[in-house]
């Protein structure tokens, strides 16, 4: 891909409910359990919030899963689910997350944003 000189800021995304299944934790296989989580993409992490209010930094009692994107791999994984629009993030520590959205435009928006963040944070 073509990157501008100096590198554009990666897009920050938030406000979509993503279906998430963590299928490996540090290389240890986990039972697949899809959960709706509110995504928030920062400059180097994907935050997955249980509660929508957490996107605004408010306490809501829910938990946030932090996915480190530096050194991660992201790929479309149509064979890993009966669901459509599924992609996988594998972190540098070997944790694997499947992400899915009902709408292709939502899924591809997050895929593209996360991929750009992976690329830019892995270059540092
Ligand atoms: C799983 C559950 C998941 C399904 C998974 C099942 O069963 O139905 O939704 O994944 O399929 O094993 P259980 O709740 O009993 O663990 P998809 O929705 O992504 O198809 P899989 O084993 O073929 O991945």
């Amino acid at each position: 891909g073509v990157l501008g000189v100096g590198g554009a800021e990666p897009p920050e995304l938030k406000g979509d409910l993503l279906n998430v299944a963590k299928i490996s934790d540090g290389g240890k296989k986990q039972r697949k359990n899809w959960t709706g989580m509110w995504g928030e993409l920062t400059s180097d992490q994907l935050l997955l919030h249980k509660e929508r209010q957490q996107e605004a930094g408010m306490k809501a009692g829910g938990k946030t899963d932090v996915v480190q994107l530096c050194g991660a791999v992201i790929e479309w994984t149509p064979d890993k689910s009966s669901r459509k629009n599924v992609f996988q993030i594998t972190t540098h520590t070997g944790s694997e997350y499947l992400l899915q959205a009902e709408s292709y435009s939502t899924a591809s928006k997050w895929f593209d944003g996360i991929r750009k963040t992976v690329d830019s944070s892995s270059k540092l």
Side-chain angles (χ1 to χ4, degrees):
V2 180
L3 289 171
V5 176
E9 280 297 306
E12 298 206 4
L13 290 173
K14 65 162 81 170
D16 290 311
L17 187 63
L18 303 169
N19 295 312
V20 181
K22 188 175 189 178
I23 56 170
S24 174
D25 185 16
K28 190 163 177 276
K29 194 175 188 295
Q30 306 286 298
R31 181 176 162 202
K32 193 197 256 177
N33 179 29
W34 289 102
T35 312
M37 305 281 274
W38 295 94
E40 177 177 0
L41 186 60
T42 75
S43 61
D44 61 350
Q45 295 174 335
L46 173 64
L47 306 180
L48 297 168
H49 303 297
K50 204 90 178 120
E51 308 286 342
R52 178 163 212 178
Q53 297 91 306
Q54 288 178 302
E55 293 179 313
M58 287 182 271
K59 280 220 171 96
K63 88 183 238 302
T64 293
D65 212 343
V66 179
V67 183
Q68 299 291 351
L69 296 177
C70 178
V73 173
I74 180 171
E75 60 195 332
W76 292 103
T77 49
D79 300 337
K80 291 212 174 177
S81 175
S82 61
R83 300 180 177 216
K84 60 186 177 179
N85 311 323
V86 176
F87 61 86
Q88 176 171 322
I89 300 168
T90 305
T91 70
H92 77 286
T93 58
S95 291
E96 298 176 322
Y97 296 83
L98 295 181
L99 279 85
Q100 189 257 352
E102 284 310 308
S103 118
Y104 175 72
S105 69
T106 301
S108 60
K109 179 178 74 179
W110 283 85
F111 180 91
D112 290 344
I114 294 166
R115 187 175 43 75
K116 283 182 183 134
T117 302
V118 165
D119 288 349
S120 60
S121 61
S122 302
K123 252 184 318 191
L124 297 176

